Amino acid sequence: MEWWKVLVGLVAAFAILRLGFFVLRALAQPVPEPDPGELRRVNLKYRCAVCGAEVKMTKAGEELPEPPRHCLEDMDLVAPIE
């Protein structure tokens, strides 16, 4: 009568193992690169007004993209980098 508990345990272990391999395989695949021409070169420098962190943006989807957010606030455009 105890053999069915072992069988159910083995089937459950196999199912969990398969699910784990499926998740790991999905996470291991790199994010596909965007098509050439979708991103434009920009040279912008932003600074967070709250903590002072700075970001240099070199590529964006638009000529003047929306500023990134940091500390839950929009960052300030310091100056285009020449």
Side-chain angles (χ1 to χ4, degrees), residues 18-37:
R18 290 271 313 221
L19 179 65
F21 281 135
F22 176 76
V23 170
L24 287 176
R25 193 177 305 121
L27 290 175
Q29 294 195 5
V31 177
E33 290 288 324
D35 293 334

Side-chain angles (χ1 to χ4, degrees), residues 20-80:
F21 281 135
F22 176 76
V23 170
L24 287 176
R25 193 177 305 121
L27 290 175
Q29 294 195 5
V31 177
E33 290 288 324
D35 293 334
E38 280 190 23
L39 297 177
R40 298 177 184 188
R41 278 186 193 255
V42 294
N43 278 328
L44 302 172
K45 187 174 181 182
Y46 292 95
R47 182 176 296 136
C48 178
V50 177
C51 69
E54 294 184 353
V55 172
K56 177 182 175 183
M57 187 178 295
T58 58
K59 292 186 179 184
E62 304 170 357
E63 190 67 35
L64 187 60
E66 292 184 28
R69 295 180 64 83
H70 194 265
C71 295
L72 301 177
E73 297 289 329
D74 286 343
M75 296 179 86
D76 299 326
L77 179 63
V78 177

